[in-house]
Amino acid sequence: EDYYRLLRTTIRYSCLDAGWRFPWFVAKVSYHSPSAPFHETTRSAQQRLWDEGAALPGPDTDTLQSEYREANGMGIHFSLKGLKAHGEAWADILIPYIHSLID
């Protein structure tokens, strides 16, 4: 609940500070390690932001597990291979969105 509330507040106030409601995209991301590949409470909070329209859906980066992580798959951060896959996942979301605005 804290994560959801803080992220929703960040989204709300960043738009207020900017003076317009710009789109926010939130990925499904909660990966910690091969033994804890996702945390359902975090994923549920991200889904709730999507469902309520506070944010648009980003990619599910929890699908990028061991082979995409640093420290021979044991780390939380992406390896070079993971960064490439991460960028491609975001491009798959953002390019169609941008085209929907300009086409």
Side-chain angles (χ1 to χ4, degrees):
E1 189 60 34
D2 286 342
Y3 171 81
Y4 164 80
R5 184 180 44 76
L6 290 171
L7 188 49
R8 181 157 174 82
T9 299
T10 299
I11 292 168
R12 180 178 300 141
Y13 280 100
S14 67
C15 292
L16 286 172
D17 288 348
W20 66 290
R21 191 178 189 301
F22 57 89
W24 263 79
F25 287 82
V26 173
K28 285 261 181 100
V29 55
S30 65
Y31 185 90
H32 283 261
S33 69
S35 62
F38 68 91
H39 291 268
E40 194 52 49
T41 56
T42 302
R43 292 175 61 82
S44 293
Q46 293 156 349
Q47 182 69 48
R48 187 171 163 195
L49 291 166
W50 297 355
D51 292 346
E52 293 179 357
L56 296 169
D60 185 346
T61 64
D62 286 346
T63 62
L64 302 174
Q65 296 194 4
S66 295
E67 72 177 283
Y68 298 99
R69 302 295 171 153
E70 43 124 37
N72 294 320
M74 299 307 293
I76 190 170
H77 299 290
F78 292 122
S79 64
L80 289 177
K81 180 179 179 179
L83 288 171
K84 183 177 186 303
H86 184 244
E88 289 169 350
W90 273 106
D92 289 345
I93 299 286
L94 295 176
I95 291 171
Y97 176 78
I98 292 166
H99 279 287
S100 77
L101 298 176
I102 61 175
D103 288 343

